[in-house]
């Protein structure tokens, strides 16, 4: 049954990822960068990230990141989640 196979793949993937995260040093890791000239936008764009590692989880916080700009570089939340996981 494909549903059972899919569930097994998802379960194994989650367990493997949680084990890999659990091997990382717990704590808060911050990074920030300023982008200039994004798609012809004349103002700086700030990207901020706090990655908090706790046991077998990573929490990501993008607070402080610039708001959307009127250019074709903004992404929907599903892309933000996908890029974050990748």
């Amino acid at each position: 049954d494909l549903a059972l196979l899919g569930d097994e793949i998802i379960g194994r993937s989650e367990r493997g990822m949680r084990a890999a995260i659990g091997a990382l040093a717990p704590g808060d890791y911050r990074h920030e960068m300023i982008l200039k000239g994004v798609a012809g936008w004349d103002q700086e764009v700030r990207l901020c990230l706090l990655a908090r590692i706790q046991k077998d989880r990573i929490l990501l916080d993008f607070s402080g990141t610039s708001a959307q700009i009127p250019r074709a570089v903004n992404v929907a939340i599903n892309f933000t989640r996908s890029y974050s996981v990748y």
Side-chain angles (χ1 to χ4, degrees):
D1 178 41
L2 286 179
L4 292 174
L5 176 60
D7 290 344
E8 183 64 25
I9 291 170
I10 290 169
R12 287 183 187 199
S13 297
E14 180 177 349
R15 288 189 299 277
M17 181 57 81
R18 288 189 182 279
I21 293 169
L24 299 173
D28 289 354
Y29 300 87
R30 298 176 192 274
H31 190 71
E32 181 177 312
M33 63 189 303
I34 302 293
L35 304 174
K36 297 180 181 180
V38 174
W41 184 243
D42 62 353
Q43 298 176 29
E44 294 180 342
V45 174
R46 179 181 307 273
L47 299 177
C48 302
L49 175 65
L50 164 66
R52 176 167 289 149
I53 299 175
Q54 299 174 322
K55 298 182 182 177
D56 63 350
R57 299 176 55 171
I58 298 178
L59 305 173
L60 302 177
D61 182 351
F62 296 94
S63 296
T65 294
S66 295
Q68 294 180 355
I69 63 172
R71 298 291 189 269
V73 296
N74 305 299
V75 298
I77 191 67
N78 59 321
F79 285 111
T80 301
R81 288 178 177 151
S82 297
Y83 295 149
S84 298
V85 170
Y86 180 72

